[in-house]
Amino acid sequence: MKLPFMKDSPFKMPYTTPNIVSHLVKRLLSLLESVPAQRPIVIVCIGTDRSTGDCLGPLIGTSLSKHSSRHFHVFGTLAEPVHAMNLDDTLQQINTQFDKPFLIGIDACLGQVASVGCIQAGNGPVRPGAGVNKDLPPVGDIHITGIVNVGGFMEYFVLQNTRLHLVMSMSEIISLGLFTAISNFHVSRTSRGETAASDYTS
C-alpha cells in the first residue's frame, strides 16, 4: 500500500537502522515514480577527496560509476570530483548534454549531535556549501544527504576530522540503495510501457 503523504514526509534514518537499504529504496522509489520516461536521470555527487567528511559524495559517485549503467549518469567521483570550484561549470555541462535531466543531488552535511550518522532523502535540491557558509547553486530535483558530523562551530575543522569509517559506511548504503531503486524503477517503468503498448494494440 502506497501512502499518499509518503514522498512528502521527511526521511531521516541512522545508517545503523536494521534494513536501512530497504527503507531507503522504498523512499527513493516513491520520489522517482513520477519521473517521465524521456527524462534522463543524472546523479550529481558533490564533495572533495581532500576532506574526510566531505568525501561522501565522491565515494558514492565512484561506487555508482563502476556499474556502467545506462539507466543513470554520474557526475562527481574521487577521480573527478564536483566541488565549489567547478559546480557551476558542471551544471552547465549537464544541461547542455542532456534534455531536461532529472537531477539527484548528493552531499555530506553537518547537523546536531543526535543526527550524526543519519541519511536523509526528499524532494527538492541539496544546498551545497550551506554548512560552511558558501553561496553555491542548489542541486537536484530530489536530494540525498548524509549527516557526517556536528555543525555550528569550526565547520572546516570538523569536516577534516570526521571518521572515515562513518563516511564509508554511509556511502555504501546510499550507493546500494540508489542503484537498487533506479534499477527497480526502470524495470517498473519498462513494464508499464509494455502494458500500455499492449493495451493500445489490442
Side-chain angles (χ1 to χ4, degrees):
M1 177 179 176
K2 195 174 292 178
L3 300 177
F5 58 84
M6 182 177 176
K7 74 165 76 174
D8 298 319
S9 60
F11 176 93
K12 181 179 178 181
M13 284 190 179
Y15 80 98
T16 52
T17 301
N19 300 317
I20 179 64
V21 173
S22 296
H23 291 298
L24 181 59
V25 168
K26 288 178 183 176
R27 171 46 57 93
L28 292 173
L29 282 171
S30 75
L31 294 168
L32 291 169
E33 65 180 2
S34 60
V35 180
Q38 65 271 22
R39 291 189 71 182
I41 294 175
V42 178
I43 304 168
V44 185
C45 301
I46 302 160
T48 173
D49 61 345
R50 295 178 181 270
S51 168
T52 308
D54 207 23
C55 71
L56 178 70
L59 283 168
I60 293 168
T62 298
S63 179
L64 289 171
S65 65
K66 291 177 181 178
H67 294 287
S68 300
S69 174
R70 58 190 175 86
H71 303 319
F72 59 83
H73 310 271
V74 178
F75 288 79
T77 63
L78 290 171
E80 297 181 12
V82 172
H83 44 64
M85 301 300 293
N86 64 5
L87 180 58
D88 281 312
D89 291 340
T90 300
L91 293 177
Q92 284 186 6
Q93 178 188 346
I94 291 170
N95 286 314
T96 300
Q97 186 174 340
F98 302 99
D99 182 28
K100 297 179 180 176
F102 183 86
L103 297 185
I104 301 175
I106 298 178
D107 198 8
C109 65
L110 301 174
Q112 298 178 348
V113 174
S115 297
V116 173
C118 285
I119 294 169
Q120 303 176 122
N123 278 309
V126 67
R127 302 187 182 279
V132 289
N133 299 314
K134 285 186 177 180
D135 185 20
L136 299 173
V139 180
D141 294 280
I142 65 173
H143 67 271
I144 306 172
T145 57
I147 302 174
V148 298
N149 216 324
V150 181
F153 180 70
M154 297 180 67
E155 281 82 1
Y156 284 106
F157 179 79
V158 168
L159 282 171
Q160 292 281 2
N161 288 274
T162 296
R163 289 199 64 205
L164 182 59
H165 170 74
L166 172 65
V167 178
M168 290 288 294
S169 298
M170 296 176 76
S171 74
E172 290 169 2
I173 290 166
I174 293 171
S175 57
L176 177 57
L178 187 52
F179 176 77
T180 303
I182 294 177
S183 299
N184 290 351
F185 168 69
H186 177 76
V187 170
S188 173
R189 188 164 66 176
T190 301
S191 63
R192 286 200 306 267
E194 290 173 351
T195 301
S198 174
D199 290 343
Y200 179 78
T201 57
S202 327

